[in-house]
Amino acid sequence: MSRSADAPLVHVSIDHIVEEGRNVKTFVLEPAPGSAAGLLTYRAGQFLTLRLPARADRPVMRSYSISTCPVSDPGLAVTVKDSPGGAGSNWLYEKAVPGMTLEALPPAGGFTLDESDSDILLFAAGVGITPLYSLCKYALASSRRKVHLHYSGRHRDTTPFIAALEQLEHAYPDRMRLDLRLTGSEGRLDAVAVRDVVTAVDTPTTYVCGPPAYQTMVIDALLSAGRPPASIRTESGRPSRTR
């Protein structure tokens, strides 16, 4: 995720902070007084880059996926995992409080839904659920598309958004399917399981987000199952044909 530092900065205030699971928090933001709300207009699946005073000599720029949906949620929020040694996430966890004003670049990123009306297949692991949660809510609220989400997390009580996703499945029983894999008891998703999912659904586009090893495994399994590279989307773009 990257965004040109030449883009205009917008000031945002932290409205409140939500504990989502172990070392995962959601920071709900709003335009600071005097800031143009239009600069925070976003599309589902995009990210927000924050300018954080995390170092004494200079601020750091860190990009975080947006977990809210522009048509079903009242504001904008980013969900952040506290990473050991991560200057940005460590500062947010130790210093950020409601009412604090931060600087940000306008939302950006191309990890957004295509404009078709076809069903959607999503693969997420860990905090990689963040942009896919946004995409899932957007597809359900703004279209008639069916959504199949395969989500891997270690334990139920430490995995973000499980309850909210189950509520969506209950609210849209004919359009939303959630396959939850708790790897602490069921083991990690493997290529065979990915191919089984793919053969059971007929969706032209698959969105994948998670740790690098997880993404590589899922993408390789999709490609070996015959899915064309152009049909696979990640936050960094599309996979190469020669993986």
Side-chain angles (χ1 to χ4, degrees):
M1 293 185 291
S2 63
R3 176 69 187 257
S4 171
D6 295 331
L9 288 170
V10 57
H11 289 84
V12 298
S13 296
I14 300 175
D15 182 72
H16 60 280
I17 302 171
V18 181
E19 297 274 357
E20 302 290 2
R22 183 180 179 184
N23 297 327
V24 179
K25 292 182 179 182
T26 291
F27 296 82
V28 182
L29 309 172
E30 60 183 5
S35 293
L39 291 177
L40 285 182
T41 300
Y42 69 98
R43 298 176 65 189
Q46 291 191 309
F47 61 86
L48 188 73
T49 299
L50 296 175
R51 188 175 186 266
L52 302 172
R55 293 176 177 161
D57 57 336
R58 58 183 175 83
V60 299
M61 306 293 287
R62 293 292 186 270
S63 297
Y64 300 108
S65 296
I66 297 171
S67 52
T68 44
C69 167
V71 299
S72 63
D73 293 316
L76 181 155
V78 295
T79 298
V80 181
K81 180 178 181 179
D82 190 20
S83 302
S89 63
N90 291 173
W91 186 90
L92 284 169
Y93 272 62
E94 295 170 6
K95 303 293 185 182
V97 295
M100 178 178 287
T101 297
L102 302 172
E103 293 180 321
L105 295 172
F111 193 50
T112 55
L113 287 183
D114 60 41
E115 297 182 358
S116 74
D117 58 359
S118 301
D119 296 349
I120 307 161
L121 177 60
L122 311 172
F123 283 93
V127 77
I129 186 62
T130 303
L132 299 189
Y133 181 41
S134 177
L135 292 177
C136 181
K137 289 186 286 185
Y138 182 76
L140 293 171
S142 66
S143 75
R144 295 298 304 168
R145 304 172 78 167
K146 293 182 179 180
V147 178
H148 183 180
L149 169 62
H150 198 290
Y151 182 21
S152 295
R154 186 175 296 277
H155 303 290
R156 183 180 177 88
D157 60 350
T158 61
T159 301
F161 306 130
I162 288 180
L165 289 165
E166 289 175 337
Q167 290 174 4
L168 285 175
E169 188 178 35
H170 179 75
Y172 298 92
D174 297 327
R175 295 176 51 213
M176 169 74 176
R177 175 178 172 181
L178 171 64
D179 287 338
L180 179 64
R181 187 183 187 94
L182 298 177
T183 60
S185 57
E186 301 175 58
R188 293 183 177 180
L189 185 71
D190 58 22
V192 173
V194 173
R195 288 193 290 270
D196 287 344
V197 171
V198 171
T199 57
V201 297
D202 182 21
T203 56
T205 307
T206 304
Y207 297 80
V208 185
C209 194
Y214 171 89
Q215 286 200 168
T216 297
M217 182 277 296
V218 172
I219 291 170
D220 285 347
L222 291 169
L223 294 173
S224 68
R227 292 298 174 98
S231 71
I232 304 169
R233 301 285 302 279
T234 69
E235 281 192 306
S236 60
R238 302 179 189 273
S240 168
R241 289 183 179 274
T242 56
R243 291 194 59 83

